[in-house]
Amino acid sequence: MDSKILFMIVDNQVLYLSNSNMDHKEWYVSLGFDASNFDNVIRGFVIDNKIIFYKGFFEYDDTVIKCAETFSPSMKEKLNNPSLEVYCGILPGKPGEKWEPILKISGNTNNNDRFSSDTSIEVKKREKVELGELDSIIDFKNDYNDNAVVKKALISTIVVLVINLISNIILLTSGSLILSGVLSLILFISQFILLGFSIYGYIIKWKYTHITSLAASLLIIFSLNIISIITGIIYALYVIDQSILETPLIKLKNSILKK
């Protein structure tokens, strides 16, 4: 099976999705459910002749295992593929690598009459890597579906790029910054590449740009000069939660206006 089919267990039903660019979280929210409960939703993929169940950040527990045992028989019947292997959990690997499932479920239990899985299946090849799952690790407070948030993120990234460029030019010309070795040169160049890519990402509204922005902020911090450290920390905080900086500034502005 070359195509990837997403599924979720919601209200004791198996929901399927493949004709979409949405990841599980976007799909869940689009159905009107509370995003704060998403990590508890048991979900997975049907891919490479496997049904893979997990929850959270590709994790599994007794509940996931029980769910796999309960629903897999009806899923095989629905997908018209009795040879599908059933797994729980996925071992995350490096970007670009194939992430392998962890626990193979041997044998199947009879389907519980309380459960049903009669949602129709739309089949289409899905090539996108589910980067949205990374949001399960870091709690991004900013709503990057909001154009106002994206606009401020774009402006802040341009400002950081300019500050970083000017500060590094000054340090290089003064001799305070010496690029010795391939690693330091790669680190130096990579931060500008990521910042430039983030600016482009915000312009085209690529939904995972905040992740590249955060990566850029970490590289800036690792430059290990005082200006870069301060700039990188502030930028990282702003990428995660714009209100961290905006709220104090608004309070300061209001205080000045009152005086």
Side-chain angles (χ1 to χ4, degrees):
M1 181 178 296
D2 295 325
S3 60
K4 180 192 293 184
I5 300 174
L6 283 71
F7 69 85
M8 291 192 299
I9 312 298
V10 180
D11 294 332
N12 292 335
Q13 289 188 349
V14 183
L15 308 181
Y16 300 89
L17 179 73
S18 59
N19 189 22
S20 173
N21 286 324
M22 290 189 292
D23 59 30
H24 284 96
K25 187 172 185 179
E26 293 166 333
W27 178 26
Y28 184 73
V29 172
S30 74
L31 294 176
F33 297 110
D34 185 1
S36 64
N37 188 51
F38 175 71
D39 283 346
N40 297 319
V41 176
I42 297 175
R43 55 197 186 277
F45 302 107
V46 182
I47 188 172
D48 296 335
N49 210 48
K50 299 180 179 72
I51 306 176
I52 307 173
F53 292 78
Y54 65 88
K55 68 178 183 180
F57 189 61
F58 305 109
E59 302 161 353
Y60 70 93
D61 56 14
D62 289 342
T63 304
V64 175
I65 294 173
K66 179 62 177 176
C67 193
E69 293 173 340
T70 301
F71 286 99
S72 56
S74 63
M75 294 178 69
K76 290 180 181 182
E77 182 179 350
K78 188 71 180 181
L79 295 166
N80 194 26
N81 190 349
S83 66
L84 285 168
E85 298 178 343
V86 182
Y87 291 83
C88 292
I90 301 176
L91 184 63
K94 297 178 181 179
E97 292 182 349
K98 186 176 181 180
W99 294 13
E100 297 293 342
I102 301 173
L103 177 67
K104 184 175 182 180
I105 304 298
S106 59
N108 297 300
T109 60
N110 293 327
N111 204 27
N112 192 317
D113 293 336
R114 293 180 300 144
F115 301 136
S116 63
S117 54
D118 53 2
T119 305
S120 61
I121 306 172
E122 297 175 311
V123 177
K124 181 180 178 181
K125 187 171 290 186
R126 189 174 184 273
E127 298 176 348
K128 179 176 70 62
V129 176
E130 194 170 357
L131 295 176
E133 297 286 356
L134 294 176
D135 287 339
S136 301
I137 303 176
I138 301 172
D139 185 14
F140 288 94
K141 302 295 184 182
N142 300 329
D143 180 8
Y144 285 99
N145 293 316
D146 187 333
N147 289 333
V149 172
V150 173
K151 183 178 180 180
K152 288 186 287 187
L154 172 62
I155 294 172
S156 66
T157 305
I158 294 173
V159 170
V160 169
L161 177 61
V162 172
I163 292 174
N164 203 38
L165 183 62
I166 293 174
S167 63
N168 278 283
I169 289 174
I170 294 173
L171 291 172
L172 282 170
T173 54
S174 65
S176 300
L177 177 61
I178 301 175
L179 299 177
S180 58
V182 177
L183 183 59
S184 62
L185 183 61
I186 292 175
L187 180 64
F188 179 78
I189 296 174
S190 296
Q191 55 187 286
F192 291 103
I193 292 175
L194 279 176
L195 286 171
F197 183 81
S198 297
I199 291 172
Y200 177 70
Y202 287 128
I203 291 174
I204 66 173
K205 293 182 173 59
W206 186 52
K207 57 189 173 184
Y208 300 122
T209 306
H210 57 290
I211 296 173
T212 63
S213 294
L214 188 61
S217 70
L218 296 177
L219 288 179
I220 293 171
I221 293 171
F222 288 137
S223 296
L224 299 180
N225 65 74
I226 188 64
I227 298 176
S228 295
I229 292 173
I230 294 173
T231 303
I233 291 174
I234 293 175
Y235 184 49
L237 292 174
Y238 197 72
V239 169
I240 295 172
D241 186 359
Q242 293 180 355
S243 66
I244 290 178
L245 298 180
E246 291 180 353
T247 301
L249 290 175
I250 292 173
K251 289 182 178 179
L252 178 62
K253 178 183 176 181
N254 292 337
S255 177
I256 293 173
L257 291 174
K258 286 181 181 179
K259 292 181 180 179

